[in-house]
């Protein structure tokens, strides 16, 4: 799945670019505030996906003296920027646009065109989101989407999912708003739809930013990966007891720090050889583990 993240971003970029062009044309033709808000949202999404692709490229930079563990976590920075853009460019602007139209009572013309564009966009976004959800289910098993959202360490996939969900719900809101305006002749529904889209975008942007902020601060590997690493180490005949196990997610890689009691060895060299074997086997079993810091120790009872 990790290799498929850039592919998912490219698909989303192509889809959002086409949708944005259609929305801007429909907004100019109909004067719909909801449609204009949706066009701005799709444009922002295009910029967001370009930022994610740039962040993924930057995260592949090799380690150097300044960044001895590499730049894997740089993708978190760009994911946070994307969440902020989704909040301010997408959400706040949509709220402003809706409030402006309520104050000035701007009418809506040719709402049927807006409904057709929105309907097509809903189907495209639903297709895109279905593909993303299918990929998520493939890697998360029986986890609920909310649990995956809280536990995933793939910031770029998290952002793409949040954008797709926001886009689909925003389109549905705009469709209802334009339809209500067409049936009643009251442009306030369209303006209210723009405000509703904006509030929705800001809520999802906040949730995404909260998760990405946690990654920036420093999260462990996902619970299932940490549990599997712990079980692997506990099953080693060279180890009598795990005193401490710390995992840190570093972009697509994982740092593992182990403090463990070892069996008796005739010499320090034999213990070092045993630790090297443990580290090599751990990295073979878990390819995402890039660094292993192993400390043999004796558990100290606290008074």
């Amino acid at each position: 799945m990790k290799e498929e993240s850039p592919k998912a971003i490219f698909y989303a970029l192509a889809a959002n670019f086409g949708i944005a062009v259609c929305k801007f044309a429909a907004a100019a033709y109909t004067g719909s505030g909801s449609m204009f808000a949706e066009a701005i949202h799709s444009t922002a999404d295009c910029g967001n996906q370009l930022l994610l692709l740039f962040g993924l490229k930057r995260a592949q930079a090799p380690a150097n003296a300044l960044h001895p563990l590499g730049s894997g976590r740089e993708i978190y920075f760009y994911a946070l920027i994307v969440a902020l853009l989704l909040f301010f460019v997408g959400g706040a602007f949509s709220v402003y646009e809706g409030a402006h139209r309520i104050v000035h009572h701007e009418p809506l013309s040719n709402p049927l065109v807006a409904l057709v564009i929105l309907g097509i966009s809903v189907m495209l976004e639903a297709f895109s989101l279905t593909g993303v959800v299918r990929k998520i289910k493939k890697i998360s098993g029986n986890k609920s989407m909310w649990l995956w959202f809280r536990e995933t360490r793939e910031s770029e996939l998290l952002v793409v999912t949040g954008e797709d969900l926001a886009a689909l719900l925003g389109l549905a809101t705009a469709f209802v708003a334009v339809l209500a305006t067409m049936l009643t002749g009251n442009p306030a529904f369209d303006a209210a739809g723009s405000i509703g889209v904006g509030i929705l975008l800001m809520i999802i942007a906040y949730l995404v930013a909260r998760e990405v902020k946690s990654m920036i601060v420093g999260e462990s590997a996902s619970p299932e990966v940490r549990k599997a690493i712990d079980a692997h180490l506990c099953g080693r005949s060279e180890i009598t007891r795990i005193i401490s196990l710390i995992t840190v997610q570093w972009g697509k890689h994982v740092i593992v720090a182990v403090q463990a009691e070892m069996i008796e060895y005739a010499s320090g060299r034999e213990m070092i050889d045993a630790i090297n074997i443990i580290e090599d086997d751990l990295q073979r079993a878990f390819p995402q583990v890039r660094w292993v810091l192993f400390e043999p120790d004796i558990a100290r009872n606290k008074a």
Side-chain angles (χ1 to χ4, degrees), residues 106-122:
E106 296 184 10
L108 175 65
S109 61
N110 300 300
L112 188 59
V113 174
L115 289 176
V116 170
I117 296 297
L118 286 170
I120 294 172
S121 299
V122 165

Side-chain angles (χ1 to χ4, degrees), residues 184-207:
T184 64
N186 186 353
F189 286 108
D190 179 58
S194 179
I195 294 174
V197 169
I199 292 173
L200 178 66
L201 291 177
M202 288 191 285
I203 291 173
I204 292 179
Y206 165 76
L207 294 175

